[in-house]
């Protein structure tokens, strides 16, 4: 089977609509009859990534690939980049402001959650250029 | 525990999904921090929260939850209810505060995991 490729746009600064892309992705995965647990993990990871794009990077896009033995989710933005990735990965570390906290986010759990729920995660980031977070889920 | 029992215990008003009150939940979770909910929830199908915004519904959706209870009498707006309806998630409002709402459910046998 040819891998299925899906792309979702994430609007920057849209705190109300944030999650729309992850919601659509989750519905698409459900139609493919994949294991529910994997769908849930992928949805959680993409959702945290989407929230990060909205609150830290003025939006971006998600590229999802579904192949025979894995799902890959790539969250790509042209935001400010992450100065210290190790620090960003620490539970509780956050530069998020009041607005993100009002939404129930900004507790510094997003990236650790994405790491915990994915089978592999990689962060490519360049200051002033952007960040790409790639997550893999084995099927 | 059936959603109808939860409504009774919490003295709650059903704001959407009245037709699904015969659904069962086996465990619950209470928090105002969505990232915490996303981090620690496994099969808790009930979310109690004092936070009112669309991200509460999104969080419940990602976790395949069946019901959201807004505590302290907080009322979600129409857009939040629509979002929940489209995802088949029951929404209730309880006058109880978070601590009391969780305590009452726990006392009646609904655990955290
Ligand atoms: N896409 C991104 N672009 C720029 N910075 C980011 C991005 N994602 C995460 N960060 C940085 O990493 C920190 C930790 O992220 P995360 O664990 O998701 O916590 P939170 O979003 O709650 O702050 C953020 O506060 C932010 O400084
Ligand atoms: Mg985050």
């Amino acid at each position: 089977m040819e891998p299925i490729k899906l792309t979702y746009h994430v609007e920057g600064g849209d705190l109300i609509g944030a999650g729309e892309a992850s919601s659509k992705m989750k519905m698409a995965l459900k139609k493919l009859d994949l294991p529910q647990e994997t769908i849930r993990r992928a949805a959680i990871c993409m959702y945290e990534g989407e929230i990060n794009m909205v609150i830290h990077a003025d939006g971006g896009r998600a590229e999802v690939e579904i192949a025979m033995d894995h799902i890959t989710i790539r969250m790509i933005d042209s935001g400010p980049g992450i100065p210290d990735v190790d620090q960003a990965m620490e539970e509780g570390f956050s530069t998020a402001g009041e607005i993100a906290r009002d939404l129930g986010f900004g507790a510094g759990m997003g990236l650790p959650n994405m790491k915990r729920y994915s089978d592999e995660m990689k962060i490519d980031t360049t200051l002033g250029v952007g960040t790409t977070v790639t997550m893999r889920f084995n099927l | 525990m059936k959603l109808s029992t939860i409504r009774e215990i919490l003295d709650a008003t059903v704001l959407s999904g009245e037709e699904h009150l015969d659904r069962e939940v086996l465990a619950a979770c209470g928090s105002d921090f969505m990232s915490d909910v996303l981090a620690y929830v496994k099969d808790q199908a009930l979310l109690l929260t004092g936070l009112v915004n669309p991200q509460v519904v999104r969080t419940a959706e990602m976790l395949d939850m069946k019901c959201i209870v807004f505590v302290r009498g907080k009322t979600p707006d129409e857009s939040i209810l629509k979002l929940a309806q489209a995802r088949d998630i029951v929404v209730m409002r309880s006058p109880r505060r978070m601590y009391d709402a969780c305590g009452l459910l726990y006392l009646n046998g609904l655990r955290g995991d």
Side-chain angles (χ1 to χ4, degrees):
Chain A
M1 151 185 121
E2 281 285 292
I4 298 168
K5 290 187 178 165
L6 306 165
T7 303
Y8 300 93
H9 171 77
V10 176
E11 192 65 39
D14 180 8
L15 297 163
I16 301 297
E20 186 75 45
S22 306
S23 175
K24 285 187 185 144
M25 194 276 309
K26 188 173 187 194
M27 285 177 198
L29 292 188
K30 273 187 177 166
K31 284 196 192 124
L32 292 172
D33 196 31
L34 301 167
Q36 199 197 340
E37 191 50 40
T38 312
I39 295 178
R40 190 192 287 185
R41 289 195 290 125
I44 293 171
C45 288
M46 178 156 155
Y47 181 49
E48 286 281 14
E50 187 178 352
I51 295 283
N52 277 355
M53 273 184 170
V54 172
I55 62 183
H56 304 299
D58 202 28
R61 70 179 194 279
E63 291 180 1
V64 181
E65 183 183 285
I66 304 129
M68 278 298 283
D69 64 343
H70 70 275
I71 300 169
T72 307
I73 300 178
R74 209 167 270 122
M75 311 292 301
I76 305 157
D77 70 58
S78 311
I82 303 173
D84 184 338
V85 173
D86 288 338
Q87 188 183 39
M89 285 304 301
E90 282 171 23
E91 284 198 9
F93 176 81
S94 176
T95 61
E98 198 66 31
I99 299 169
R101 273 194 288 276
D102 284 348
L103 284 181
F105 290 89
M109 296 293 290
L111 290 174
N113 276 354
M114 290 154 78
K115 171 113 187 137
R116 176 172 22 225
Y117 286 116
S118 59
D119 291 308
E120 270 171 56
M121 175 170 120
K122 186 160 83 75
I123 301 177
D124 296 297
T125 185
T126 308
L127 287 184
V129 177
T131 301
T132 297
V133 182
T134 307
M135 294 167 286
R136 184 187 157 105
F137 306 85
N138 300 327
L139 288 172
Chain B
M1 184 181 283
K2 276 206 165 64
L3 293 184
S4 53
T5 310
I6 288 165
R7 176 184 59 179
E8 254 170 62
I9 293 170
L10 297 181
D11 203 7
T13 308
V14 179
L15 303 176
S16 116
E18 188 92 40
E19 67 277 22
H20 300 310
L21 292 185
D22 56 339
R23 285 187 187 162
E24 288 269 352
V25 299
L26 299 176
C29 139
S31 181
D32 289 352
F33 296 106
M34 295 304 112
S35 273
D36 271 355
V37 176
L38 290 162
Y40 300 115
V41 161
K42 289 197 192 79
D43 277 313
Q44 294 88 331
L46 174 69
L47 173 63
L48 296 109
T49 186
L51 186 74
V52 185
N53 68 51
Q55 301 311 327
V56 173
V57 181
R58 299 281 188 203
T59 298
E61 174 190 6
M62 299 311 153
L63 292 165
D64 305 303
M65 289 177 141
K66 292 178 189 161
C67 179
I68 300 166
V69 176
F70 291 105
V71 296
R72 267 179 284 135
K74 298 222 170 171
T75 306
D77 64 24
E78 202 52 42
S79 68
I80 296 177
L81 290 179
K82 272 207 186 116
L83 209 57
Q85 265 154 17
R87 281 145 189 85
D88 220 19
I89 297 170
V90 176
V91 180
M92 301 188 202
R93 176 186 65 209
S94 167
R96 305 270 168 260
R97 292 160 69 181
M98 181 69 103
Y99 182 80
D100 292 334
C102 295
L104 283 167
L105 292 178
Y106 200 91
L107 202 62
N108 281 277
L110 188 64
R111 298 295 144 112
D113 54 26

